Amino acid sequence: MKIMIVEDDPVIREHLAEALKKWQYEVYIAKNFNDIIEEFNDYKPHIVLLDINLPAYNGYHWCQEIRKISQIPIIFISSRNDSMDQVMAMQMGADDYIEKPFNMTVTVSKVQAMLRRSYDFSILEKGMEINGVELIPEQAKLMFHEEHIDLTLTELQIMQSLFKTNGGFVSRNALIESCWESEHFIDDNTLAVNMTRLRKKLQKIGLDNFIETKKNVGYRVVK
């Protein structure tokens, strides 16, 4: 599996690359901070580890640019620990956010879990449909009236969990467990921001109220 690190601190990026290589990952460290997309297209990584504070353009910018052409997992790794930074990262399309200074063992575990969930295609189910809305897991797409939206890994896992209940509620904790495999190290904003981003995508194809929230109960898709 190929990992791209976009980090301008030489000490952090080298230590992170070294730790990942011990697990037999192929690691590429970005060099041209003026054109990350060119290097992204050339390397074709399976996952990107992205800092926020970068020369020229910040990580938010590059996350948006990557999302225009790819739905691969993106994990932000940043010293900025304000909750709004994490919210912004999720709104730009990130799948997770790790604060510096980070525990290297935990960080590698998060990368491994994200790669496993993203590329273990054997766990993907066949398409599911509710009221003309079709979820196509193998393509990470949701279709409605011949229009579609592309889903990130996290968005796909949220929709899979909701579709499985066929209109029943899924608790916040169950969604967190499904998407991140653990409640540990997950900020309270993470699920909420991903849900907000997903709802905005759904609105673009006419599904304004497709996901319902019930306080202290959870989320469901409306039949």
Side-chain angles (χ1 to χ4, degrees):
M1 303 296 284
K2 299 163 68 175
I3 301 173
M4 181 175 182
I5 299 174
V6 185
E7 164 67 65
D8 64 332
D9 186 314
V11 175
I12 292 176
R13 67 193 185 200
E14 291 298 337
H15 284 175
L16 185 54
E18 182 180 347
L20 291 167
K21 286 177 181 178
K22 288 180 180 178
W23 288 91
Q24 308 305 310
Y25 293 114
E26 183 180 324
V27 181
Y28 176 81
I29 297 175
K31 302 175 180 64
N32 181 9
F33 293 104
N34 290 307
D35 196 349
I36 295 299
I37 295 301
E38 181 181 4
E39 294 189 54
F40 175 87
N41 285 328
D42 288 343
Y43 185 59
K44 296 178 175 58
H46 294 99
I47 190 171
V48 174
L49 308 183
L50 181 62
D51 190 13
I52 294 178
N53 296 322
L54 297 168
Y57 302 97
N58 63 28
Y60 298 138
H61 169 81
W62 292 121
C63 184
Q64 282 187 301
E65 292 302 302
I66 291 171
R67 279 289 170 255
K68 291 177 182 178
I69 58 176
S70 174
Q71 298 299 316
I72 73 160
I74 298 174
I75 299 178
F76 271 89
I77 298 178
S78 176
S79 58
R80 292 164 66 165
N81 56 13
D82 187 277
S83 61
M84 286 308 299
D85 290 312
Q86 298 187 31
V87 169
M88 181 69 74
M90 296 300 169
Q91 289 177 337
M92 295 299 104
D95 294 287
D96 207 345
Y97 190 104
I98 302 173
E99 293 180 16
K100 300 175 186 175
F102 52 82
N103 179 295
M104 189 63 75
T105 301
V106 171
T107 299
V108 172
S109 295
K110 281 201 165 197
V111 171
Q112 290 174 322
M114 188 69 72
L115 286 169
R116 184 170 60 251
R117 296 197 305 274
S118 300
Y119 299 102
D120 184 3
F121 294 106
S122 64
I123 67 172
L124 292 178
E125 301 178 20
K126 294 182 179 179
M128 297 175 274
E129 183 175 341
I130 293 179
N131 284 358
V133 182
E134 184 181 5
L135 180 66
I136 310 172
E138 66 271 18
Q139 297 179 26
K141 288 183 178 181
L142 188 138
M143 302 282 298
F144 183 61
H145 288 171
E146 298 184 354
E147 293 188 87
H148 80 273
I149 54 173
D150 293 315
L151 303 172
T152 66
L153 168 67
T154 303
E155 292 163 353
L156 174 60
Q157 290 177 315
I158 289 172
M159 293 310 300
Q160 281 183 300
S161 295
L162 297 180
F163 267 69
K164 284 178 184 177
T165 64
N166 197 31
F169 281 98
V170 182
S171 71
R172 171 187 174 279
N173 287 345
L175 281 177
I176 289 175
E177 181 69 25
S178 173
C179 295
W180 292 280
E181 295 190 350
S182 172
E183 296 182 37
H184 302 298
F185 312 111
I186 298 300
D187 183 86
D188 288 340
N189 290 316
T190 303
L191 177 60
V193 174
N194 273 279
M195 194 65 74
T196 298
R197 189 177 70 201
L198 179 55
R199 282 184 164 125
K200 287 181 179 178
K201 286 188 176 183
L202 292 170
Q203 288 174 1
K204 293 179 180 179
I205 57 173
L207 295 171
D208 294 43
N209 301 303
F210 188 57
I211 298 178
E212 177 187 350
T213 304
K214 189 170 184 179
K215 189 175 181 181
N216 299 323
V217 177
Y219 303 87
R220 72 172 179 177
V221 290
V222 179
K223 293 190 68 178

